Amino acid sequence: MFFEMRKNFFITGTDTGVGKTFVAAAFVEALRKAGFDVGVMKPVETGCAESGGELVPGDALKLKEAARTSDPLDLINPYRFAAPVAPCVAASMEDREIEIDKIAEAFNVLSKRHDFMVVEGAGGLMVPLTPTKTFIDLLSILKIPVIIVAPSRLGVINHTLLTVEAARRGGIDVAGIILNNPALSRGSDLSGETNAEVIERFSGAPLLAELPFIKEKPPYKYVRGFVEQLTSGG
């Protein structure tokens, strides 16, 4: 069951642009406000802007800010690339190679410093990190449960159930699912009224929260409920 005392979580998504960083930052802030020292990681970030001759990992910096940690950015984000493509492709374009062991080493260092670790992936679980390895291979080493962020819109049931199945086939524990509304819906989308119930029933994974469309900073109050249950061990 999800609400056993766990200390590390991996935030993944059913796709890109579904609000992983938004949710991860809210999760981190809720843990911090509950009195916990939280460490964060964004192992690989692509599509980074350049400033002063350096690549700026925007998502990693948002997590670092949410955690209010002084951990070095190179531990939080070991790999960053300019091209907005899959990590293995971005690395190849820069004639570099992503080493999963290096990511695991950074995670081990950070996890010893903090009560909790929140790690955010890139895209979904099947996104390739190397020519032969995906995020599932990384998680098989880190051995931490995943929280799946899915956008509450038409088509999300299929995408979420496929993500749950991929995780479980890879031996990864699915801690739960968060439905997010990353954009203001235009017109009528009846799926939003039934997505949560159908996904929970077919996946067998708990629905942790359903977040409304919000423009301001990550709404930690919407994830506070399950964070309180998590940290109480109940």
Side-chain angles (χ1 to χ4, degrees):
M1 182 66 183
F2 170 74
F3 294 125
E4 296 171 355
M5 191 65 169
R6 297 179 183 177
K7 302 185 70 173
N8 304 313
F9 293 90
F10 187 91
I11 309 296
T12 192
T14 55
D15 200 349
T16 59
V18 299
K20 288 190 307 300
T21 304
F22 192 75
V23 170
F27 188 29
V28 168
E29 186 173 1
L31 284 168
R32 183 172 54 77
K33 288 182 179 293
F36 293 93
D37 181 349
V38 188
V40 294
M41 277 193 78
K42 175 82 176 183
V44 182
E45 185 165 342
T46 63
C48 297
E50 185 176 335
S51 178
E54 299 287 338
L55 291 178
V56 180
D59 291 349
L61 288 172
K62 288 176 183 175
L63 296 179
K64 179 177 169 67
E65 180 182 0
R68 296 186 182 177
T69 179
S70 59
D71 292 327
L73 189 58
D74 284 343
L75 276 179
I76 293 172
N77 175 232
Y79 294 100
R80 64 201 71 143
F81 303 98
V85 293
C88 73
V89 177
S92 178
M93 291 172 67
E94 297 185 20
D95 197 25
R96 296 170 60 192
E97 182 177 341
I98 295 173
E99 297 179 16
I100 290 181
D101 286 345
K102 178 180 177 179
I103 296 173
E105 288 171 9
F107 173 82
N108 287 334
V109 170
L110 292 174
S111 65
K112 292 176 182 177
R113 297 181 180 180
H114 302 284
D115 299 326
F116 280 82
M117 281 294 296
V118 177
V119 184
E120 182 195 343
L125 291 178
M126 298 300 293
V127 169
L129 285 168
T130 76
T132 60
K133 304 290 185 181
T134 69
F135 273 100
I136 286 182
D137 295 290
L138 172 62
L139 282 168
S140 70
I141 296 173
L142 301 186
K143 300 187 184 305
I144 59 177
V146 298
I147 294 175
I148 299 169
V149 179
S152 189
R153 61 192 180 207
L154 189 63
V156 72
I157 294 173
N158 181 61
H159 296 160
T160 305
L161 296 182
L162 285 172
T163 301
V164 170
E165 181 177 350
R168 288 174 175 161
R169 285 193 176 189
I172 300 165
D173 182 21
V174 179
I177 298 163
I178 292 178
L179 278 178
N180 184 38
N181 287 272
L184 184 62
S185 297
R186 297 185 181 277
S188 175
D189 184 354
L190 293 176
S191 71
E193 299 177 11
T194 55
N195 284 334
E197 185 275 328
V198 175
I199 288 172
E200 193 165 32
R201 174 157 47 91
F202 275 86
S203 69
L207 181 72
L208 306 177
E210 188 165 4
L211 277 57
F213 172 71
I214 294 178
K215 289 184 179 180
E216 60 264 25
K217 64 181 294 186
Y220 78 91
K221 65 181 182 180
Y222 290 102
V223 302
R224 184 169 52 199
F226 80 81
V227 166
E228 288 175 352
Q229 293 182 66
L230 162 68
T231 55
S232 69

